Structure formats: structure tokens, C-alpha cells
Amino acid sequence: MSFVRRSVTVLAAATALTAGLALPALAHVTIQPGSAEQGGFTKVAFRVPNERDNASTTKIEVSFPTDHPLAFVSVKPVPGWDVKVTEGKLPKPVTTEYGELDEAVTKVVWSGGKVEPGQFQEFEVSMGKLPEGVDSLMFPTKQTYSNGEVVDWSEAPKADGSEAEHPAPLLKLTPAAANGPAATTAATAPAAATPSVAPVAASGSSSDGTARLLGGAGLVVGVIGLVVGFLGLRRRLSA
């Protein structure tokens, strides 16, 4: 019986460790998908999970980069939520293929809706043209709860590669494929460098959260299998 108790204790510890590894990765505000090609246009979703058991998320404020501004930004309406797109003067004008850009979208705020405990919501944005020669773009985000708490997701990745406590949503930029079709060319891009707000086509949600949960469940099942197998071997040896 003491052996069984020790086995159960080990199994419980392994399960707790698995949950600790899998769940925090799901709790951050992230951008989906996490990468796009340089020089093109893309559609992303800011995925916002509710981390609190006693409050709802009621406001999301996403800041857009001003060092590498995006000339075109449009948002997809989210039922039950109001959206406000703010344009502002850039610290320094940027020359683009559409002309000199001295104003761009600096912030998008969604409010008026609710993300209840145990739920998440995605806020979709179409944007471009993505800068070339840049590895990533950060989108610092503030998440406001119904109890007044504000969580600031604005930290850059650490120098050692580990994740910060409150990481900002990060869009990694990869060089465009040499012979592959571009995501969007100048011929199909909007004609004027004027940020706009308009609906965009819907797409399916990324399944990275489900993959993490399945991976964690698989690890737990594996640990259970090892314990059961060891118990069976012990009984055969005793017999």
C-alpha cells in the first residue's frame, strides 16, 4: 500500500507539473498567426483569453508600432464590441512606395463587450504593407477587467530567449519567398496611403491552444501508463 501511495503522489506531481507548463502559455494575449512575410499584407487576430475567475475582460487597447508604421489598417467588426481606430503623427516621416507617410494608425481600442471567465475572444485586423529587413513587430496591449484591473502586456522578449512575465504580442516577419507568390502586391493594394476601418473576410481560428492542451494531456496519459506498467511488473515479480 505504501508503494501505491508513493505512485499516486508521483502521478499527482507529474499532473501538476504538466498543467503548470501548458496553461501559462495559453494565458497571454497573443497574435495569431505569429508570423507573416516581409513586404506583404496580412490578416491577424489578437487572441485575448480571460485570466480571472471573478471578472470579465471589458476593454482591449492595442498599440501599433510607430518606428515601422503600417500605412493600411482595417478591422473586422466584433459583435457586441465597439472599436475605435486612432491615427497620430509619426515621430519621423517614413517614405513608402505610396509616398511620404507622416501619419498612421497608432492605436486600436475595442470596448463595450465582455470576455467572461473561462472564455477567449479574437479581434481581427488586416494590415500592411509589412516592413522589409525587420525581424518582428511588437504590439503592446492593455487588457482591462470589469473590476478595474489593467494588465499591461508590453514586455519585449528577454535577451536569453526566455519569455517575459507580461510579453507583448509579437509578429515575427520572415523574408518573402524568392519564387513564391507575394501575399499582396502593389497592384492589389489600396490606391492611397490612408488608414481605413472596414470589415475583412473571416477565417478559422488558429489551433495552437488546442495543440498545447492535447500535448499536456498526452504527457499525463504517458505518466499514468508508466505507473500502471510498473505496478503490473511489481505484482508479477512478487508472484
Side-chain angles (χ1 to χ4, degrees):
M1 291 299 295
S2 61
F3 176 78
V4 173
R5 285 196 296 270
R6 288 198 298 270
S7 299
V8 171
T9 301
V10 171
L11 176 60
T15 303
L17 177 60
T18 301
L21 291 175
L23 295 181
L26 303 177
H28 304 333
V29 175
T30 57
I31 190 168
Q32 304 293 333
S35 64
E37 284 192 356
Q38 299 173 4
F41 286 72
T42 189
K43 181 171 74 69
V44 300
F46 292 95
R47 180 174 296 172
V48 181
N50 188 13
E51 293 185 302
R52 303 293 179 260
D53 295 329
N54 59 351
S56 301
T57 295
T58 57
K59 181 179 177 182
I60 296 296
E61 180 180 318
V62 180
S63 295
F64 279 62
T66 56
D67 53 346
H68 298 290
L70 301 169
F72 305 101
V73 175
S74 61
V75 299
K76 180 181 179 181
V78 181
W81 292 78
D82 299 319
V83 61
K84 180 180 179 181
V85 179
T86 300
E87 301 174 28
K89 287 282 187 181
L90 299 175
K92 182 180 179 181
V94 176
T95 301
T96 71
E97 61 185 288
Y98 310 107
E100 189 174 81
L101 189 68
D102 59 3
E103 287 189 358
V105 170
T106 57
K107 186 182 300 183
V108 179
V109 178
W110 289 269
S111 61
K114 284 186 177 182
V115 184
E116 302 285 356
Q119 300 178 356
F120 73 93
Q121 179 65 54
E122 290 187 339
F123 302 89
E124 293 183 327
V125 176
S126 177
M127 58 189 184
K129 188 176 182 180
L130 300 175
E132 299 183 57
V134 178
D135 293 335
S136 62
L137 294 176
M138 280 181 52
F139 295 84
T141 300
K142 292 183 179 180
Q143 180 178 12
T144 301
Y145 286 92
S146 55
N147 60 5
E149 179 187 6
V150 178
V151 180
D152 192 2
W153 304 99
S154 61
E155 297 178 5
K158 295 182 179 180
D160 61 3
S162 61
E163 189 174 64
E165 183 177 357
H166 293 93
L170 187 72
L171 179 65
K172 296 182 180 179
L173 302 180
T174 59
N179 299 319
T184 303
T185 64
T188 59
T194 304
S196 60
V197 181
V200 295
S203 69
S205 301
S206 174
S207 60
D208 67 318
T210 302
R212 290 192 186 100
L213 287 176
L214 291 176
L219 180 58
V220 172
V221 171
V223 172
I224 293 174
L226 288 174
V227 173
V228 172
F230 188 75
L231 288 173
L233 178 60
R234 179 182 175 87
R235 285 195 296 268
R236 286 196 297 271
L237 291 175
S238 299

